[in-house]
Amino acid sequence: MVLKANYRLRRFKPSDLDWVIRINRECLPENYTTLFFMNLYKRFPETFIIAETNVEIVGYIMCRIETGIPSFKMLGITRKGHVISIAVLPKHQRKGIAQALMQETMQAMASYKAKECYLEVRTSNLPAIELYKKLGFEITRTIRNYYADKEDAFVMAKQLHLSMK
Ligand code: ACO
Ligand code: ZN
């Protein structure tokens, strides 16, 4: 695991919700209702993961497992893990936390039998795009005006293997 010793990853639990909402509001313009967070947790608990120190929660990742058209050359439909949101508090960034959260969630996606992991990211969000590239994601398409402020999104995807560690 790339994670430093003073950080731990574990599954989200409902008592973490206020922390996760605070981190989401501080780090991203895409914010969600309490119900939205709790629905993701209830449906896909294995892929809702937080990073913490001894004193506070510093990052989270939450995902949805979907059925849809594969991003890579394959016929029919496939099960896909969709990263809905990931964020790490600014003062804890660049320590490998997001990379560890992504790796942990991709393992959990494979346990839900997802064949790929995908996400949307602002075309200007270089830190996040670099993170996903480092993890082996490719840009598969661009969605014009995806965000509320009309910025475009890249869709980035990576194939998952059941043996993934
Ligand atoms: N500039 C360039 N590359 C970066 C940067 C940066 N600022 N941050 C991360 N990376 C790349 C690097 O390759 C880095 O490896 P290195 O440090 O060895 O060079 C690699 O990503 C791993 O970095 P981590 O330390 O694991 O990333 P971190 O914990 O800092 O979190 C994140 C990255 C989540 C993008 C963070 O900057 C953040 O919370 N940003 C605001 C919220 C956000 O943009 N979330 C993603 C939106 S898209 C979505 O949610 C699906
Ligand atoms: Zn999305």
Side-chain angles (χ1 to χ4, degrees), residues 64 66 82-85 118-120 146:
R64 182 162 59 216
E66 302 169 351
H82 179 173
V83 178
I84 304 292
S85 185
Y118 84 98
L119 51 86
E120 301 90 11
Y146 180 75

Side-chain angles (χ1 to χ4, degrees), residues 24 27-32 83-84 86 119-133 139 141-156:
N24 170 251
C27 297
L28 281 165
E30 289 73 43
N31 306 132
Y32 312 95
V83 178
I84 304 292
I86 176 171
L119 51 86
E120 301 90 11
V121 59
R122 286 177 181 268
T123 55
S124 66
N125 192 346
L126 292 181
I129 293 167
E130 285 304 311
L131 163 73
Y132 306 136
K133 282 189 175 159
I139 295 172
R141 62 195 178 98
T142 304
I143 309 176
R144 301 273 166 228
N145 305 326
Y146 180 75
Y147 293 97
D149 61 7
K150 305 289 181 218
E151 185 169 345
D152 299 343
F154 286 138
V155 177
M156 297 186 73

Side-chain angles (χ1 to χ4, degrees), residues 40 43-44 47 62-72 74-84 105-106 108-120 137 140-141 143 155-160:
L40 284 181
R43 294 179 63 203
F44 312 108
T47 51
M62 60 182 188
C63 310
R64 182 162 59 216
I65 308 299
E66 302 169 351
T67 306
I69 298 163
S71 301
F72 302 94
M74 238 173 83
L75 290 176
I77 55 167
T78 192
R79 211 197 284 252
K80 319 203 286 189
H82 179 173
V83 178
I84 304 292
T105 218
M106 286 193 286
M109 283 175 178
S111 78
Y112 283 121
K113 301 201 165 26
K115 301 287 187 288
E116 66 169 81
C117 176
Y118 84 98
L119 51 86
E120 301 90 11
F137 282 72
T140 55
R141 62 195 178 98
I143 309 176
V155 177
M156 297 186 73
K158 176 188 163 80
Q159 278 179 300
L160 300 176

